[in-house]
Amino acid sequence: MSAKSVFQEEKNPRGIPKAPFIANVEEYLGGPDGAVETPLKNFQDAIAKYRYMDANLTQRRKGLEDKIPDIRKTLHMVEFLQEQREGKNKNDDLEDDLSDEENSDNPKKPLTTTFELNDTLFAEAELEDTDTVYLWLGANVMLSYKLSEAASLLRSKLDLAEASLKATIEDLEFMREQLTVMEVNTARVYNWDVKRRRERRLAGEGNGTKGH
């Protein structure tokens, strides 16, 4: 029996193989005299593969859970700038109908905000009126986008990241179910072998007693 045959043909949507549940250990081993060493080794190999995949998925989940809030925060900022700019354009249209004296009574105030320099240090800045923002794309790459383009890109990235996180969580749950099945299989085969050895030992002792 090869290690590959431990896994079933059935897989989850991302291709993770389903572990079989060994309902009848004797039948699975090929009879009452079936060897358990190779199946137990195959089970341990399968458990090791599941644990390796579990570790990778756990790391991926953590990365996505860190990434999604950053994307969402950036999107909110871009949307805020869009709202500010749209509001300013409307005000500009209204101000064309106002007198210079009225305008002087309501001077425009620059937009003041804080930005992060590092994890514990923030600085205050005044934002110029602009319809362009710069976004980090990774690998030390930054590109400029119009506000509408930036918002569209960030929404797309957020949707993809949230879908990926949902799939990753589903895969982790599925993986842990398969790990549990393989651990139960290992215990069942081991206990079956212990019981078989005990029965054979008792049968041998009984035969020895009869011989006397």
Side-chain angles (χ1 to χ4, degrees), residues 7-188:
F7 300 112
Q8 290 187 349
E9 292 294 328
E10 185 179 351
K11 299 178 181 179
N12 84 334
R14 263 74 60 186
I16 299 173
K18 185 175 181 180
F21 174 70
I22 310 304
N24 188 322
V25 174
E26 184 173 312
E27 180 181 334
Y28 180 80
L29 297 176
D33 297 323
V36 299
E37 289 78 10
T38 297
L40 286 174
K41 181 181 182 302
N42 291 342
F43 289 172
Q44 290 305 311
D45 289 344
I47 288 173
K49 290 176 181 177
Y50 278 132
R51 285 179 176 159
Y52 176 76
M53 288 187 280
D54 181 90
N56 286 339
L57 287 169
T58 299
Q59 186 175 6
R60 178 176 177 78
R61 176 179 181 173
K62 184 180 184 306
L64 288 167
E65 287 176 338
D66 290 340
K67 180 180 180 181
I68 287 173
D70 287 341
I71 298 174
R72 190 176 287 119
K73 182 170 64 175
T74 305
L75 176 59
H76 288 168
M77 187 61 194
V78 170
E79 289 174 338
F80 173 75
L81 292 174
Q82 275 186 299
E83 291 171 1
Q84 288 290 111
R85 184 164 180 78
E86 289 169 0
K88 176 185 176 301
N89 290 338
K90 290 179 182 177
N91 288 335
D92 287 346
D93 292 339
L94 291 173
E95 287 174 358
D96 289 340
D97 299 330
L98 299 175
S99 66
D100 293 338
E101 184 178 346
E102 289 174 327
N103 284 335
S104 63
D105 294 336
N106 297 287
K108 298 177 184 176
K109 294 182 180 180
L111 178 62
T112 303
T113 186
T114 55
F115 63 95
E116 185 177 354
L117 295 176
N118 60 36
D119 291 341
T120 58
L121 182 61
F122 290 78
E124 188 174 278
E126 291 184 355
L127 299 182
E128 297 179 357
D129 178 37
T130 179
D131 65 346
T132 302
V133 292
Y134 290 83
L135 299 179
W136 284 108
L137 301 181
N140 294 323
V141 176
M142 176 184 277
L143 291 178
S144 65
Y145 292 89
K146 296 295 184 182
L147 289 173
S148 59
E149 295 173 345
S152 177
L153 175 64
L154 289 167
R155 289 190 192 101
S156 175
K157 284 182 172 292
L158 182 59
D159 289 343
L160 287 173
E162 288 178 337
S164 182
L165 178 60
K166 182 174 182 291
T168 300
I169 292 172
E170 289 175 356
D171 286 347
L172 277 168
E173 292 174 352
F174 179 81
M175 184 82 63
R176 285 161 187 171
E177 288 175 2
Q178 309 321 302
L179 266 171
T180 299
V181 170
M182 291 309 303
E183 288 167 350
V184 169
N185 287 338
T186 301
R188 285 173 60 80

